[in-house]
Amino acid sequence: MKNLAKLILAAVMTVSLFSACGKAEEEPIDVSDVKDMVFGSETPYILYCSEEKIIINGTFGVVVYDLENGKLTDRISLDKIRELGMVGYGNYASADGETIYFTDMLQNVGAVNSFVAYDVESKTASPVKEISDDEFREESWNWDGGRFQVKHYDPADYEKYYEKYIAEGCLIGDNSVPLENEFVFLIVPSFMLYDTQIVVCGYDGSEKVYGVFDNSD
């Protein structure tokens, strides 16, 4: 019996050790600088959204949020995007949400010459790809094409929510994504970007709110 107890204890310690090692390998997501950010030239907006995850672009860079588990899973800051050789504006996501494209598009120019592809799952960036204006048009590098999933809201869908959050002093993003039984949009209470929230509204009248940075230190 003593030997059996020792074996069980050793097995428990081994499992605990591997669990601890696994946790140690997870790098924390640094959002400390976001706490000092205030509303700038535009509210954050949705690059991609599904029932599982949402990808958001803002002056804090690009973040990936796990809607299923209610937690932030990745953040690519503007500094990081610029380290990759891009300007940090004009970012896009693929229609399946598996790739984020950082471009060298300037807001006052609107032309893309190259981009970096960032893999959401592996969190790795591929080398810069050069792209011509013709390729830009052919690949639907705009929100009217099927490649990038961003849809402007239907005011009839959330007019009551718009009035509600405006009355509460919130900024509201100018785009939303309709899902099968819900639609999703963003709000920013008190003009503080750290308070950016995801609002998921069901067509049955239900409503869920997720704080993007709530689980971050």
Side-chain angles (χ1 to χ4, degrees):
M1 288 296 291
K2 288 183 179 180
N3 289 336
L4 178 61
K6 288 180 179 179
L7 286 172
I8 293 174
L9 179 60
V12 170
M13 291 178 66
T14 301
V15 171
S16 300
L17 179 61
F18 278 116
S19 298
C21 290
K23 290 180 180 178
E25 291 176 358
E26 294 181 5
E27 294 185 5
I29 299 171
D30 183 11
V31 296
S32 56
D33 58 315
V34 183
K35 294 181 179 180
D36 298 322
M37 293 182 180
V38 296
F39 171 70
S41 59
E42 61 182 13
T43 56
Y45 57 90
I46 299 169
L47 296 181
Y48 170 85
C49 188
S50 67
E51 286 82 1
E52 292 78 31
K53 69 184 176 188
I54 182 170
I55 302 174
I56 301 169
N57 189 85
T59 51
F60 42 65
V62 178
V63 297
V64 181
Y65 189 89
D66 181 344
L67 279 172
E68 280 192 314
N69 297 298
K71 65 178 183 178
L72 188 68
T73 57
D74 198 6
R75 180 211 177 189
I76 309 95
S77 67
L78 288 182
D79 286 343
K80 178 62 178 178
I81 295 171
R82 288 162 185 163
E83 286 176 10
L84 296 171
M86 300 294 104
V87 297
Y89 304 109
N91 303 316
Y92 303 90
S94 60
D96 59 8
E98 296 301 316
T99 308
I100 300 170
Y101 298 95
F102 304 122
T103 80
D104 62 358
M105 183 179 76
L106 294 172
Q107 290 177 317
N108 60 342
V109 175
V112 169
N113 295 315
S114 59
F115 68 83
V116 168
Y118 182 87
D119 185 82
V120 172
E121 183 175 355
S122 66
K123 300 183 180 181
T124 57
S126 67
V128 174
K129 174 183 175 180
E130 298 296 324
I131 186 167
S132 68
D133 289 342
D134 288 339
E135 288 176 314
F136 180 91
R137 287 190 289 271
E138 289 172 5
E139 296 191 11
S140 297
W141 278 71
N142 58 61
W143 295 345
D144 296 324
R147 179 166 181 173
F148 303 110
Q149 184 197 50
V150 175
K151 302 177 182 179
H152 287 274
Y153 65 81
D154 178 353
D157 281 340
Y158 80 25
E159 183 176 354
K160 64 178 181 180
Y161 297 103
Y162 181 88
E163 294 175 352
K164 168 187 173 182
Y165 287 113
I166 285 292
E168 293 178 3
C170 298
L171 295 164
I172 297 182
D174 63 359
N175 75 323
S176 71
V177 176
L179 303 176
E180 185 175 354
N181 299 307
E182 306 166 316
F183 60 98
V184 183
F185 59 92
L186 305 175
I187 60 172
V188 183
S190 306
F191 287 63
M192 298 301 295
L193 288 174
Y194 193 76
D195 291 332
T196 299
Q197 296 176 5
I198 303 161
V199 183
V200 180
C201 298
Y203 293 110
D204 59 359
S206 61
E207 181 180 350
K208 293 175 287 186
V209 180
Y210 303 85
V212 174
F213 301 106
D214 279 358
N215 67 323
S216 306
D217 296 328

